Amino acid sequence: MKPTLILVLFLVFFSGRLAAQTKSIHEQKFIPIGGIEQWVTISGEDKTNPVILFLHGGPGSSMSQYDDAIYGYWKKDFVLVYWDQRGAGRTFGRNAPAKVTEDYWIENPLTVERMTADGIELSEYLVKHLGKRKITIIGTSWGSVLGASMALKRPDLFTAYIGHSQVVNGEAGFRRAFETVSRLAQAAKDQESISKLVALGPPPYDDARKSGQLMRIIKKYERENSTPAPVSWWKVRSEYDNEKDANDRYNGDDYSFLHYAGHKAMGIKSMEVGIDFMTNGFQYKIPVYFIQGEEDILTAKEVTKAYFDKVKAPEKEFVLVPGAAHGHNQAVIDAQYKAVRKALKR
């Protein structure tokens, strides 16, 4: 092969690789949000693609630490943003003291209003930083509280809102879940669960530990009646697979759940109590899509559908996913992908 031809081929190959690197984006950093530093990751094969901000559940159940098994293939079509919310993951680790005490829990409350403001501030940053007019938000479970609140308050920032396992009324939903698992336990003659439920009594509770005990029973019955996600989805990325990150995720999850459930003995108010979109959350100015697991006990399909029927939006769709419960599985991810595609084609 002639030297000139070799040089031409090299330049074509090198320029192609350089162009690909220039188009892609991969950022991991702390960003000042709401007066503290919060952990945000941004990745995609082409930074000119539409941006999706994932709002994780929990609260406290961050997603940035997982490998690409869940949403990795979306990077071809979108720029994906994961955010460790206030009180979760690396954001918790960055701002909490080395030794977390009860005093820290009490003196640093979480509120829906504060975290909604954080989400809006992050969205404003993403629009400016990535040169977009708008972004799309996907909120799961607790993240659906933030997502709906953000979409209702600042529709100018968002192309669409996609709510998965949409929380409608925190207290009423939890009470309904208690009634559902009580019926299921009786039908199954599950004496262990029956005894625990009788001891707990129906919510609301003023002790976060009781909320946690009920949650474990709810998850048990959801697992029995749904198709789970592959175990490989929850593989932790190597850079997060260390003692500090693991401790920050664990402690942040405890801290966040304590504030969500409330704990009277510490004077910690429940965030759940104030959540009621049935009262004041109907008028959306952007498209709304609800992805609902048919076997979801915690945010039951009947409650979500009743709310959906009252929602006013330029476009709306309710997607019932057979075999899905409150969490993720492949059918849920597929439904989310279709919803994003539909929203962006409008």
Side-chain angles (χ1 to χ4, degrees), residues 139-209:
T140 291
S141 188
W142 154 256
S144 75
V145 176
L146 291 187
S149 300
M150 290 160 61
L152 288 163
K153 192 166 186 178
R154 287 293 306 276
D156 58 299
L157 291 170
F158 308 114
T159 306
Y161 166 57
I162 299 166
H164 165 226
S165 298
Q166 179 68 47
V167 177
V168 176
N169 180 303
E171 269 194 315
F174 208 38
R175 189 161 53 247
R176 183 189 180 98
F178 174 88
E179 293 166 358
T180 299
V181 292
S182 294
R183 288 196 302 271
L184 291 171
Q186 290 287 350
K189 297 182 179 179
D190 176 1
Q191 196 56 53
E192 181 182 359
S193 294
I194 291 170
S195 298
K196 288 179 180 177
L197 291 165
V198 169
L200 286 172
Y205 307 125
D206 57 12
D207 186 327
R209 291 169 297 190

Side-chain angles (χ1 to χ4, degrees), residues 29 31 33-34 36-42 52-57 60-65 80-91 114-123 126 137 142-143 146-147 150 240:
K29 57 188 177 183
I31 296 171
I33 301 171
I36 64 171
E37 291 192 310
Q38 304 198 32
W39 183 250
V40 176
T41 71
I42 306 172
I52 299 175
L53 169 60
F54 292 99
L55 303 171
H56 65 70
S61 301
S62 57
M63 291 179 64
S64 59
Q65 71 271 15
L80 308 183
V81 181
Y82 296 118
W83 165 40
D84 288 13
Q85 299 161 16
R86 182 182 296 261
R90 286 190 171 181
T91 297
R114 174 64 267 172
M115 295 178 74
T116 298
D118 285 352
I120 289 171
E121 188 174 339
L122 171 59
S123 300
L126 293 171
I137 43 177
W142 154 256
L146 291 187
M150 290 160 61
Y240 293 85

Side-chain angles (χ1 to χ4, degrees), residues 174 211-220 257 298:
F174 208 38
S211 297
Q213 289 168 25
L214 177 54
M215 281 294 297
R216 284 191 284 275
I217 298 172
I218 293 169
K219 289 179 180 179
K220 171 187 174 181
F257 184 75
L298 188 59

